[in-house]
Amino acid sequence: MNINSTILSGYRVLQDISHLLSGKQHVLFVTDQNIVGLPDVQALIAQVKQAVPQVLLVDNVPAEPSQHDVARILSQIPQTQTDLVIGVGGGSVLDVAKLLSLLCAGDETVTLDSLLAGEKPTRRTLSLLVPTTAGTGSEATPNAILAIPEKETKIGIITPVMMPDYVALVPELTTSMPPHIAASTGIDALCHLIECFTSTIANPVSDNYALIGLKKLFANLETAVREPGNLEAKLNMLWASYYGGAAIAHSGTHLVHAMSYPLGGKYHIPHGVANAILLAPCMRFVQHAAQDKFAQAYDLLPDADPTLDTAEKAQALVIYFTELVKRLDLPNTLQQLGVEKDHLPYLVDAALQVQRLMKNVPTPVSADDVRDVYLTLF
Ligand SMILES: NC(=O)c1ccc[n+]([C@@H]2O[C@H](COP(=O)([O-])OP(=O)(O)OC[C@H]3O[C@@H](n4cnc5c(N)ncnc54)[C@H](O)[C@@H]3O)[C@@H](O)[C@H]2O)c1
Ligand SMILES: [Fe+2]
């Protein structure tokens, strides 16, 4: 997989994007209701409107979008071919912007239905993705995740052509994130990094991304949550999240993400919150099969104890995960989120059906194992 995006990063890096806007006739600007009103985003929209004759603003992408949300958004967009799609938002907005970069590229044979059926288009419009959470790393992955309400689950539309031309990591755009969102989306990035690092399809390229991302994340997540105005911690978290996405692009997540899909699809629990609940129990389950990798990750913690042996380090990492989720004040039981024990058979079945990710778990997983992990959450 090639990641050929040009990355712009740093404070005020989008203040002048005239080089990107020059000669463009139709720009599609995709965002959501919480983000469109931020002063820095208003300034960006004004800059685009000044440089480009036709700018269509789609500012109503919902959190955790479904296929029907994308169909509704598409119906608001005239048939004109778009020159540039700009997505500014969390993973929800970025995934929709990535899909629109395929669906507004002027090829009428590419439709939402054909993408859902697995078509791999070869064309898209130029794209710029600007994450406002840190995060999904969507700006570095070939995936767009949609909820499918009829099936009470989520699916991933995956095609490398969706990788953007430009990514901007702009710390001041993430300072307005409420602390609970900074915490849960940060745990999502952590799951991407540690799952890709311990996946059956991990390789030296994805390991490299995972190790850099984990080091940045361990050193900055709690500061970025506690001190939203700390631009250095916020930029480091954007990079950690980006590296998580890059690790996904070259490897793949496994147990946490497979088990979190039904929690998002059926109970509409936000993606990062579902992952936060699952992180420590899932990692405890795979620990025996990933001791060396866990020990390497442990060594990246700022206060790692170098005298521990490999097994002790692996154990200490799982304890760190448990305590981190508590310190970040994220829920750690399913009851807190309205899921009852009698839903277990449904959850187990749905998680096992996420074969795309279950095949990456570094140890065999049975239905009983999945049930036992869910049971620890009640
Ligand atoms: N494409 C991928 O590779 C990938 C990977 C993981 C998850 N996802 C998907 O991404 C989606 C979740 O994305 P997310 O976790 O980034 O959350 P999100 O985009 O749904 O945003 C969560 C909430 O935070 C608000 N928000 C975001 N940034 C803000 C800011 N700077 N200030 C104030 N409010 C802000 C949003 O408006 C929203 O209400 C899910 O649909 C998930 O399945 C995609
Ligand atoms: Fe994720």
Side-chain angles (χ1 to χ4, degrees), residues 32-35 38 61-65 89-95 98 132-139 141-147 154 172-178 181 184-185 188 192 245 248 257 261 271-272 275:
D32 78 19
Q33 284 293 298
N34 291 326
I35 295 157
L38 300 176
V61 176
E64 317 275 327
S92 299
V93 166
L94 300 189
D95 283 0
K98 282 158 80 176
T132 64
T133 61
T136 66
S138 172
E139 68 280 5
T141 77
N143 309 353
I145 313 290
L146 291 182
K154 289 182 163 188
E172 63 272 27
L173 289 182
T174 66
T175 57
S176 52
M177 249 194 301
I181 293 180
S184 61
T185 56
D188 186 26
H192 298 158
I248 290 179
H257 273 72
Y261 267 28
H271 181 70
N275 288 352

Side-chain angles (χ1 to χ4, degrees), residues 214-232:
L214 283 168
K215 185 162 188 186
K216 287 192 178 295
L217 187 137
F218 288 153
N220 292 282
L221 171 58
E222 291 183 76
T223 310
V225 172
R226 265 196 325 268
E227 302 170 22
N230 185 327
L231 292 177
E232 195 182 336

Side-chain angles (χ1 to χ4, degrees), residues 46-60:
Q47 187 191 162
V48 177
K49 284 189 167 162
Q50 201 165 32
V52 177
Q54 293 197 36
V55 180
L56 183 67
L57 180 64
V58 173
D59 62 1
N60 56 0

Side-chain angles (χ1 to χ4, degrees), residues 96-180:
V96 170
K98 282 158 80 176
L99 290 171
L100 293 177
S101 75
L102 300 177
L103 293 165
C104 301
D107 181 348
E108 281 165 21
T109 64
V110 179
T111 63
L112 182 57
D113 285 341
S114 74
L115 293 176
L116 287 165
E119 176 174 353
K120 306 281 179 210
T122 53
R123 248 170 63 189
R124 62 157 168 74
T125 58
L126 198 75
S127 59
L128 162 67
L129 298 182
V130 188
T132 64
T133 61
T136 66
S138 172
E139 68 280 5
T141 77
N143 309 353
I145 313 290
L146 291 182
I148 308 293
E150 293 74 11
K151 294 192 180 156
E152 296 186 324
T153 190
K154 289 182 163 188
I155 67 152
I157 294 174
I158 302 172
T159 171
V161 79
M162 270 191 304
M163 309 279 264
D165 300 276
Y166 292 89
V167 169
L169 304 180
V170 192
E172 63 272 27
L173 289 182
T174 66
T175 57
S176 52
M177 249 194 301
H180 70 281

Side-chain angles (χ1 to χ4, degrees), residues 235-272:
L235 183 58
N236 278 320
M237 277 308 296
L238 280 168
W239 276 112
S241 168
Y242 179 86
Y243 277 111
I248 290 179
H250 290 84
S251 171
T253 56
H254 54 80
L255 195 57
V256 175
H257 273 72
M259 291 183 63
S260 98
Y261 267 28
L263 295 175
K266 184 171 169 72
Y267 306 100
H268 308 293
I269 298 170
H271 181 70

